[in-house]
Amino acid sequence: MLVLLPPSEGKAPSGGDGGPLELGSLSLPELGDAREVVLGELVALCQGDEEKARDVLGLSAGLVGEVGKNARLHDAPTRPAGEVYTGVLYDALGLGSLDGVAKRRASRSLLIFSGLWGAVRIGDRIPSYRCSMGVRLPGLGALGAYWRGAMAGVLPGVAGDGLVLDLRSAAYAAAWKPKGEVAGRTVTVRVLHAPTRKVVSHFNKATKGRIVRSLMTAEGGEPGGPAELVDALRGLGYGVEVDVPGKAGAPWRVDVLVDDLH
């Protein structure tokens, strides 16, 4: 099973016990050249005109310190990506409290998309940074479009022949869209407030984090395909509605229904 996650805008504060970034040590080494280009563009932007960098990155005046942080990425200390990403989804997922078996499953299954790195595993050591997939870097344009070519050549192999659970937001889904046979075993998930059938952003993220945690800690084998995932979610107590694709090579869509918005 491969679980595709968005990152979080919020990151753990700079610092960590790791040395500076080593691009060659990151998972998915085929993305190395593209990562080096994006990193170089981002650092150059943030070492130049601060106001321009803040505008390009979409930062408020209160986040101007993020520009300086990006300017020092080559020398900044690193920590595992699973510790760098914070926020609602990751708080609910609670990677730090997983036991050994669940942590190994998460290390193998989770793939976090990133405007800067393309995608990383939770154990990859990275510095804290600020650069969303929606950013348009000078010289590169929109990062979602930039990453698409590199991802298309790498992600089908990473997906293997198992289930792909896609929990990304739209901006990060733009970087790779499963196609063909891989798409046919991909499931996208929405979390809806059951009485209104509306998406509630904060609770959407929290529920997705809980779903991933439930799958990582569940006893027995991992779901092998979309139908098995639906059974697993129902077995874990989630209310589920399924939109089964009408043609081969199309992803399944699953709506998880919740009553409680806390």
Side-chain angles (χ1 to χ4, degrees):
M1 177 173 61
L2 180 67
V3 182
L4 311 180
L5 296 176
S8 59
E9 289 300 315
K11 312 289 192 304
S14 296
D17 57 6
L21 173 70
E22 295 182 14
L23 280 176
S25 71
L26 301 182
S27 302
L28 282 62
E30 301 91 340
L31 299 178
D33 290 344
R35 287 170 174 153
E36 189 169 2
V37 170
V38 178
L39 178 63
E41 290 281 342
L42 179 62
V43 169
L45 170 69
C46 293
Q47 288 178 344
D49 184 282
E50 185 178 271
E51 185 174 348
K52 177 182 178 182
R54 188 162 62 85
D55 182 60
V56 169
L57 296 174
L59 302 176
S60 66
L63 293 173
V64 68
E66 300 292 286
V67 175
K69 183 167 68 176
N70 283 349
R72 300 185 294 272
L73 284 174
H74 286 295
D75 301 314
T78 59
R79 65 177 76 194
E83 297 177 12
V84 171
Y85 296 111
T86 59
V88 175
L89 187 153
Y90 290 91
D91 286 346
L93 172 52
L95 287 169
S97 63
L98 294 177
D99 66 21
V101 173
K103 188 65 173 287
R104 287 191 293 274
R105 181 177 288 178
S107 297
R108 182 178 68 249
S109 301
L110 305 187
L111 193 66
I112 305 171
F113 276 62
S114 161
L116 177 52
W117 316 115
V120 292
R121 301 283 192 183
I122 63 172
D124 288 332
R125 301 194 73 94
I126 57 174
S128 183
Y129 68 97
R130 190 78 174 218
C131 184
S132 71
M133 191 67 80
V135 164
R136 301 179 65 91
L137 286 178
L140 293 183
L143 288 176
Y146 174 81
W147 280 111
R148 205 170 295 143
M151 293 288 195
V154 176
L155 268 294
V158 176
D161 57 3
L163 170 70
V164 178
L165 175 56
D166 190 352
L167 302 178
R168 298 172 295 167
S169 55
Y172 291 90
W176 181 59
K177 182 178 180 180
K179 296 181 179 179
E181 187 269 336
V182 178
R185 47 188 166 85
T186 296
V187 178
T188 63
V189 173
R190 297 188 306 176
V191 179
L192 304 182
H193 183 215
T196 64
R197 291 302 197 271
K198 292 182 178 179
V199 174
V200 182
S201 178
H202 176 94
F203 197 69
N204 175 55
K205 295 175 183 177
T207 302
K208 286 181 177 179
R210 294 182 189 123
I211 286 172
V212 176
R213 183 178 180 88
S214 295
L215 292 171
M216 295 302 102
T217 58
E219 295 183 1
E222 300 173 355
E228 290 88 344
L229 174 67
V230 171
D231 290 342
L233 292 176
R234 287 174 173 158
L236 290 166
Y238 292 100
V240 175
E241 291 182 351
V242 184
D243 182 6
V244 178
K247 60 180 181 179
W252 290 43
R253 189 179 77 187
V254 168
D255 291 339
V256 174
L257 308 178
V258 294
D259 294 306
D260 188 1
L261 294 183
H262 299 288

